[in-house]
Amino acid sequence: MNSTNQQQEPLLSLCMRVSRSVPPSERDMSSTEDLVDRVRVMMEQESSSAYKCRDYILRRKTAASPDAPHSEVDTLCREKMCEWSYRVVDHFHASREIVAIAFSYLDRFVDRCSCDRTAFKLAAMTCIYIATKVFHSREISMSSLADLSRGEFEVEHIAKMEGILLERLAWRMHPPTVQCFINHLHRLLPFASGPVTRAIYQRASFFAEVSLFDYCFITQPRSAVAIAALLNAMEGMDEMVVSPEDHANFVRAVSNVIGREYSRETIDSIRNRLWFVYSQSAQYQEDDIPPLSGYHDTPVVENKGLHPGDQSPVCVAVGTKQQ
């Protein structure tokens, strides 16, 4: 545990989920050729205009008049809705990847359609609803989400927003997430399946989860973030278990599968940022994983108004209330 942060409240209350399930890569009996095909299809998908997202906050901030009222979505508003979304899926025992899928919908929607904070909250709730309907065995109902808004939104509002979202996104509802890439690339770890590979998978998955909080990742390829998450998860292991040579072997295997090479500068910058966002989480105060030495401590937006440790869903109106 990091003693200097022991008395400080973390900016992000998210903690790692403890899972006894076997990683998907350990259940995958397909050939290496099939793995290559799947990964490259996902990479084509993430680079297509349908699934790419631009920096909509900077673009609108640059275009806005200095005297215009501040009602546009900002990074703090987005971060709070991300925190709320994780609380909701945890409460309903849904996969946390639902939040990654929902935020792919949300960011692409806001990139294409300007909205104020109220519309953003409604869109975020609706994206959670759609993502669970498409990818979870039991959807979170519109009425449940409307109840969580404590009167700010009705079922009719969510239903109408669902139609708008589907139209704006042209029904492109199967985004490749960071977790999708981790599920596949984890198979390339140079170890036999067992406790080490499962620990790396769980840690990498948590890096994927915290990456959603940071707006700067929306323009980064999900495949690059997944590679960085896996390398960071390996970095957190003792060198007697995971050696520098293991790192190098993994990087070579990934390069062969994805058919391209990201520059070391690109991957290192993503790794540094992931370590920093992780250091802002509640998990950091509980963990013995040392951050990569020299990681960039670039300030992130302070997350006020969220209560670490409270994992029950909170009212959307409260969770994104303007300061």
Side-chain angles (χ1 to χ4, degrees):
M1 181 183 293
N2 189 297
S3 59
T4 59
N5 284 344
Q6 192 169 4
Q7 302 303 320
Q8 299 177 7
E9 284 191 348
L11 296 181
L12 311 175
S13 66
L14 196 68
C15 283
M16 192 186 302
R17 270 185 175 178
V18 177
S19 175
R20 297 182 183 276
S21 61
V22 176
S25 60
E26 295 187 19
R27 302 192 299 268
D28 186 0
M29 297 293 107
S30 62
S31 67
T32 302
E33 289 76 13
D34 287 340
L35 173 66
V36 171
D37 288 343
R38 290 198 300 269
V39 170
R40 293 190 182 182
V41 166
M42 289 194 300
M43 293 190 68
E44 288 180 12
Q45 196 178 7
E46 73 172 351
S47 63
S48 69
S49 59
Y51 287 102
K52 268 189 172 180
C53 186
R54 298 167 296 173
D55 186 346
Y56 54 83
I57 291 179
L58 178 61
R59 186 174 75 246
R60 289 180 184 137
K61 184 178 180 181
T62 303
S65 166
D67 301 324
H70 185 61
S71 60
E72 288 280 355
V73 175
D74 58 17
T75 55
L76 178 60
C77 180
R78 182 185 178 279
E79 188 177 306
K80 288 181 175 180
M81 283 310 303
C82 185
E83 181 97 15
W84 180 85
S85 298
Y86 275 123
R87 291 180 181 179
V88 169
V89 298
D90 282 355
H91 177 76
F92 286 99
H93 306 291
S95 166
R96 283 185 175 176
E97 193 179 2
I98 290 293
V99 181
I101 295 165
F103 268 70
S104 172
Y105 300 163
L106 182 63
D107 286 326
R108 287 185 286 133
F109 172 72
V110 181
D111 185 19
R112 293 159 172 75
C113 182
S114 181
C115 60
D116 60 17
R117 296 186 182 190
T118 300
F120 180 80
K121 288 186 287 184
L122 176 58
M125 294 173 61
T126 307
C127 288
I128 289 289
Y129 168 71
I130 297 173
T132 59
K133 184 163 69 170
V134 175
F135 290 95
H136 192 54
S137 57
R138 187 182 64 173
E139 69 185 52
I140 300 173
S141 68
M142 288 186 185
S143 59
S144 295
L145 291 169
D147 289 343
L148 289 173
S149 76
R150 295 181 184 173
E152 185 170 6
F153 304 114
E154 303 293 338
V155 168
E156 292 76 14
H157 297 139
I158 298 173
K160 184 175 181 181
M161 178 58 81
E162 180 184 19
I164 295 171
L165 276 159
L166 292 172
E167 180 182 356
R168 290 288 183 175
L169 299 180
W171 292 81
R172 301 299 180 92
M173 313 308 288
H174 290 76
T177 64
V178 175
Q179 189 64 53
C180 282
F181 281 104
I182 289 174
N183 290 347
H184 288 79
L185 298 179
H186 178 259
R187 182 173 158 184
L188 303 176
L189 291 174
F191 319 105
S193 298
V196 173
T197 57
R198 292 174 188 179
I200 290 172
Y201 178 80
Q202 187 166 314
R203 292 175 176 183
S205 296
F206 186 70
F207 277 113
E209 290 162 8
V210 296
S211 72
L212 280 180
F213 285 97
D214 198 331
Y215 176 77
C216 77
F217 286 118
I218 72 162
T219 58
Q220 295 295 329
R222 300 298 183 260
S223 53
V225 179
I227 294 167
L230 283 161
L231 288 171
N232 279 7
M234 294 169 71
E235 184 80 27
M237 308 293 287
D238 191 286
E239 282 196 11
M240 296 294 291
V241 178
V242 181
S243 68
E245 184 180 356
D246 291 326
H247 281 253
N249 289 338
F250 174 71
V251 170
R252 280 193 294 270
V254 168
S255 297
N256 290 334
V257 166
I258 67 176
R260 62 173 294 185
E261 289 189 13
Y262 289 112
S263 70
R264 180 170 181 175
E265 180 182 9
T266 296
I267 297 299
D268 283 351
S269 66
I270 295 173
R271 291 186 65 190
N272 288 334
R273 188 67 186 183
L274 284 174
W275 275 122
F276 180 69
V277 180
Y278 160 75
S279 75
Q280 308 304 299
S281 72
Q283 185 66 37
Y284 177 66
Q285 297 188 4
E286 300 180 6
D287 250 339
D288 294 323
I289 305 176
L292 186 68
S293 60
Y295 73 91
H296 299 164
D297 56 347
T298 307
V300 293
V301 177
E302 185 179 0
N303 191 349
K304 301 175 182 177
L306 293 175
H307 307 285
D310 178 7
Q311 292 303 311
S312 61
V314 293
C315 170
V316 177
V318 173
T320 58
K321 185 177 181 180
Q322 296 184 35
Q323 301 297 321

